[in-house]
Amino acid sequence: MPYPSDRERDRPWVMRTYAGHSSAAASNALYRRNLAKGQTGLSVAFDLPTQTGYDPDHELAKGEVGKVGVPISHIGDMRQLFDGIPLAEANTSMTINATAMWLFALYVAVAEEQGADISKLSGTTQNDIIKEYLSRGTYVFPPGPSLRLITDMVAWAVHHVPKWNPINICSYHLQEAGATPVQEVAYALCTAIAVLDAVFDAGQVPEDRKGDVVARISFFVNAGVRFVEEMCKMRAFAALWDEITRDRYGIENPRHRRFRYGVQVNSLGLTESQPENNVQRIVLEMLAVTLSRNARARAIQLPAWNEALGLPRPWDQQWALRMQQVLAYETDLLEYQDIFDGSPVIEAKVEEIMAGAREEIDRVQAMGGAVAAVESGYMKSQLVGSLAERRRRIESGEEIIVGVNKFDTTEPSPLQAEGAKAIETVAPEVEQAAVEAVQAWRAGRDAAAVDTALRDLRDAAKTDTNLVEATLACARAGVTTGEWAGALREVFGEYRAPTGVSAAAAGGEAGEELAAVRERVKATGEELGERLRMLVGKPGLDGHSNGAEQIAVRARDVGFEVIYQGIRLTPAEIVAAAVQEGVHVVGLSVLSGSHMEVVPAVVDGLRQAGAGDIPVVAGGIIPAEDAALLEERGVTKVFTPKDYALTTIMNSIVDVVRAAHGLPT
């Protein structure tokens, strides 16, 4: 086969930046600027209330509105978000899972208002609920009803919006939760099997359209800095997907079996220490998903250099976009066939990953599939254990992170010279404006039409009727995000996924430092006359539980009795648990930017409950200026990503407990 010449260059992948914050109007302006800079697709980040089915005025939404994405409460917000952007011409990716059907319905309804032929709409809704139970935490309903929502949406999209990807199976967050390449491939493909089995068993798609269903299943993956291994992972993904769709589902057309994926490279691997090093990390990670032509990403979005510090500014996102454009347009990458075909080294590594993934897929299928492996806690505990092992390697120095555990001397960074201005901040007034806006929206709509639409939705949910049409009717009637999710909560119930903490341990961690801290915990307990107890809490809607889980595992390994109830707790619930359990310290983990609201609420709540003597420590993506303010508000100590050594953190927490009880530290 002849190699491509300049005249035969491959088309570049779709270039996106993951964006959205504050309000629909502010995000719309950001999208227009990004498109003008050469971005070829939109990637919408929704805030946590939108992702978890709450309106801005709900108690759990406090402090979370507009922080990690744009708040979309109803069709009016969706109109504003895409004002001046013709949806018939757009390629839009929406990172939304539990409420994917709702946001998709709003998008379709706005496209109809614009006069678009909805059969021509192109884009993707993430819609992978399995990984939410395992890693990201923005699930709402139990696994069964959640899979039903996905099934309905896949079937409806194949019939009515055939160019839309109704789901992308998301292994991205699995890697961030600790997955090895084998686990990432295996668990993502187990999820795809669960979805396809459910769709085909539902009987909503005729036999001759099975290939169309498979062709619209896309994937969203992570790429770490070990870019040779990551590239081999992508080749393994593509080969296994072809194998599964051919052998398990009998899909004959090779085009239907093609592995189609988008990517964002690793964000949680970015460092707060020497953040300028993140630039080369991002570029190297991008190579993992572009170098191999036969496993090249169809769409790429890159994080910004400063995402370990907070929200990136428009300039930071522009820099990330320019990285893609330089690779696609200045280099000769797109001029050649796959440069790794025939390499014995690459072939051996790909086969190793495939063999391990097949074995793990078989293990999960023997348990009853992905849903059963979620409900039993198996997959979650495997991820928590893998991440604990990686943390151990970093702390021991076996795995080097430049600027963190090696080569940590540094010059002052001019990129951070502006201090707090080096990141995007969301004004406190944004939340109040959103609260007032949604209340005004409710007051100004046709209440009878809303009641009818919600009643029809609840009634349909009690049957096996496809729920997309009822959801579209809700969107057109002016129903809000919280009302749509609330109606389905009434029928489906809610769910709290296994944490995986009880079955995981810091494998191999038996060093002198850990033994010394364990002895301090034991001795302090003896001095106080009881075993030390620590409550690890996740206040608000932040579902990134990896850090909290690792703290809980390490606290247990050094001898604390640990109370960890999982994600999505109100400050009042955390206070009640701390008082009831008689804990010696409360540790709060927040990565969503809501720390200035939810953390002081816990401190104040403990004081009001007569337990103000229980010290509170906090950890997360917390700027130095905010850390100082939290300490003024009564937080004893603040840990940030630069505090990577968990055993050292445990030692500091022992000091906090001892100081709180008047013991020498």
Side-chain angles (χ1 to χ4, degrees):
M1 180 183 296
Y3 294 110
S5 67
D6 285 345
R7 294 188 302 278
E8 300 168 348
R9 285 176 64 95
D10 284 344
R11 283 187 306 170
W13 50 89
V14 176
M15 299 183 190
R16 310 185 194 272
T17 51
Y18 182 53
H21 65 81
S22 300
S23 67
S27 299
N28 173 263
L30 179 61
Y31 295 164
R32 292 195 193 201
R33 287 202 302 273
N34 287 345
L35 290 170
K37 292 172 182 173
Q39 184 175 303
T40 52
L42 295 171
S43 181
V44 182
F46 296 99
D47 73 353
L48 288 174
T50 304
Q51 291 185 53
T52 51
Y54 295 107
D55 289 334
D57 55 352
H58 191 280
E59 178 188 11
L60 273 170
K62 186 171 178 57
E64 306 281 13
V65 177
K67 288 286 174 62
V68 300
V70 57
I72 299 295
S73 300
H74 46 71
I75 193 170
D77 287 340
M78 192 64 94
R79 288 180 194 126
Q80 178 67 71
L81 185 66
F82 291 105
D83 181 45
I85 301 174
L87 297 187
E89 303 169 17
N91 186 309
T92 305
S93 171
M94 295 193 282
T95 302
I96 195 77
N97 295 284
T99 55
M101 182 184 287
W102 173 243
L103 274 297
F104 175 66
L106 292 176
Y107 188 90
V108 169
V110 168
E112 290 173 336
E113 290 180 350
Q114 291 184 354
D117 176 354
I118 67 166
S119 69
K120 300 297 197 312
L121 295 179
S122 64
T124 303
T125 30
Q126 193 164 99
N127 208 11
D128 175 358
I129 205 65
I130 299 294
K131 62 92 178 177
E132 295 300 320
Y133 300 127
L134 297 176
S135 52
R136 181 62 187 83
T138 63
Y139 56 82
V140 176
F141 312 112
S146 295
L147 201 55
R148 183 257 181 99
L149 290 172
I150 293 169
T151 297
D152 285 356
M153 196 168 147
V154 171
W156 193 90
V158 165
H159 288 299
H160 300 280
V161 196
K163 295 173 66 177
W164 191 270
N165 301 324
I167 184 170
N168 68 38
I169 309 295
C170 180
S171 71
Y172 176 87
H173 296 101
L174 299 182
Q175 185 183 112
E176 297 205 330
T180 64
V182 164
Q183 289 171 329
E184 184 181 345
V185 171
Y187 295 162
L189 292 177
C190 284
T191 298
I193 289 169
V195 169
L196 287 176
D197 284 356
V199 171
F200 296 147
D201 289 348
Q204 297 186 52
V205 178
E207 187 73 19
D208 62 356
R209 298 293 303 275
K210 287 176 68 174
D212 294 331
V213 172
V214 170
R216 300 324 301 178
I217 303 293
S218 63
F219 290 77
F220 187 74
V221 305
N222 204 332
V225 77
R226 291 171 56 83
F227 69 93
V228 175
E229 183 175 61
E230 293 292 296
M231 185 269 294
C232 292
K233 177 187 77 180
M234 298 319 308
R235 290 171 71 99
F237 246 137
L240 282 171
W241 181 241
D242 185 77
E243 182 180 292
I244 289 168
T245 53
R246 182 190 65 235
D247 298 347
R248 185 182 179 94
Y249 299 109
I251 306 303
E252 297 179 0
N253 188 334
R255 293 190 63 185
H256 289 162
R257 301 198 307 263
R258 186 180 300 159
F259 184 76
R260 302 158 61 252
Y261 77 99
V263 66
Q264 174 163 319
V265 306
N266 195 308
S267 289
L268 286 189
L270 304 181
T271 63
E272 178 188 17
S273 303
Q274 299 182 23
E276 62 276 7
N277 293 333
N278 294 330
V279 175
Q280 51 264 35
R281 290 187 180 106
I282 292 166
V283 170
L284 290 170
E285 289 164 352
M286 177 171 54
L287 292 179
V289 294
T290 55
L291 281 177
S292 176
R293 184 177 186 265
N294 294 341
R296 183 171 293 149
R298 296 281 291 270
I300 297 175
Q301 57 193 43
L302 301 181
W305 69 276
N306 55 351
E307 287 196 22
L309 309 176
L311 278 175
R313 301 158 299 183
W315 183 86
D316 306 312
Q317 290 195 326
Q318 174 182 296
W319 194 0
L321 175 62
R322 296 293 185 247
M323 293 177 197
Q324 295 199 57
Q325 291 168 330
V326 168
L327 180 63
Y329 297 108
E330 291 191 26
T331 77
D332 59 352
L333 176 71
L334 299 179
E335 296 173 18
Y336 296 97
Q337 298 288 349
D338 199 300
I339 61 176
F340 297 104
D341 282 351
S343 164
V345 174
I346 298 300
E347 288 178 359
K349 185 64 180 176
V350 171
E351 184 51 44
E352 176 189 312
I353 294 172
M354 289 176 66
R358 284 193 193 98
E359 183 179 331
E360 189 65 10
I361 290 169
D362 289 344
R363 186 175 295 115
V364 171
Q365 295 308 307
M367 295 176 183
V371 170
V374 165
E375 293 173 332
S376 70
Y378 169 74
M379 287 201 288
K380 180 65 173 179
S381 63
Q382 292 297 108
L383 295 178
V384 174
S386 292
L387 188 56
E389 169 59 19
R390 180 167 186 261
R391 298 290 309 217
R392 184 198 65 77
R393 294 197 306 272
I394 293 172
E395 290 182 54
S396 69
E398 293 175 44
E399 185 169 326
I400 292 172
I401 310 294
V402 173
V404 175
N405 64 355
K406 197 172 181 66
F407 313 117
D408 54 358
T409 58
T410 186
E411 300 297 326
S413 168
L415 290 175
Q416 293 179 271
E418 296 174 276
K421 294 180 180 178
I423 57 173
E424 186 82 43
T425 55
V426 177
E429 305 80 57
V430 163
E431 182 165 312
Q432 186 56 38
V435 168
E436 293 171 0
V438 76
Q439 290 171 350
W441 175 268
R442 291 194 200 107
R445 65 193 179 174
D446 184 338
V450 167
D451 290 343
T452 298
L454 288 171
R455 183 183 66 246
D456 291 347
L457 175 67
R458 283 190 292 267
D459 290 345
K462 295 171 186 174
T463 71
D464 59 1
T465 303
N466 188 299
L467 293 178
V468 175
E469 290 294 343
T471 297
L472 276 165
C474 286
R476 295 171 185 134
V479 167
T480 68
T481 297
E483 291 167 340
W484 177 86
L488 293 184
R489 281 184 171 98
E490 291 178 31
V491 180
F492 296 153
E494 292 196 71
Y495 185 70
R496 187 167 290 279
T499 67
V501 167
S502 61
E509 180 66 70
E512 292 181 9
E513 184 185 8
L514 187 138
V517 176
R518 186 181 292 138
E519 185 56 40
R520 289 194 75 208
V521 170
K522 180 181 177 183
T524 302
E526 289 172 350
E527 289 178 74
L528 295 177
E530 57 183 338
R531 185 180 177 189
L532 294 192
R533 290 182 297 281
M534 178 179 181
L535 186 148
V536 178
K538 288 286 297 177
L541 296 177
D542 173 30
H544 275 302
S545 58
N546 306 334
E549 289 154 2
Q550 293 304 309
I551 288 289
V553 169
R554 189 61 56 88
R556 189 193 63 207
D557 288 348
V558 299
F560 278 94
E561 178 183 339
V562 176
I563 294 92
Y564 175 59
Q565 299 171 320
I567 62 171
R568 214 176 303 163
L569 299 171
T570 65
E573 289 171 329
I574 291 172
V575 168
V579 172
Q580 181 178 343
E581 299 287 347
V583 301
H584 299 91
V585 61
V586 172
L588 304 177
S589 171
V590 184
L591 283 84
S592 65
S594 63
H595 47 267
M596 292 307 300
E597 291 82 13
V598 295
V599 174
V602 172
V603 174
D604 295 343
L606 287 170
R607 288 173 181 158
Q608 292 163 9
D613 57 336
I614 300 176
V616 175
V617 300
I621 300 177
I622 301 174
E625 293 87 345
D626 288 358
L629 291 172
L630 287 175
E631 289 172 357
E632 289 177 13
R633 292 290 303 273
V635 175
T636 305
K637 195 166 184 63
V638 176
F639 301 97
T640 66
K642 71 178 182 299
D643 302 301
Y644 69 93
L646 295 182
T647 304
T648 302
I649 291 174
M650 290 300 117
N651 198 44
S652 296
I653 291 174
V654 176
D655 285 341
V656 166
V657 172
R658 293 184 66 84
H661 289 84
L663 302 175
T665 59

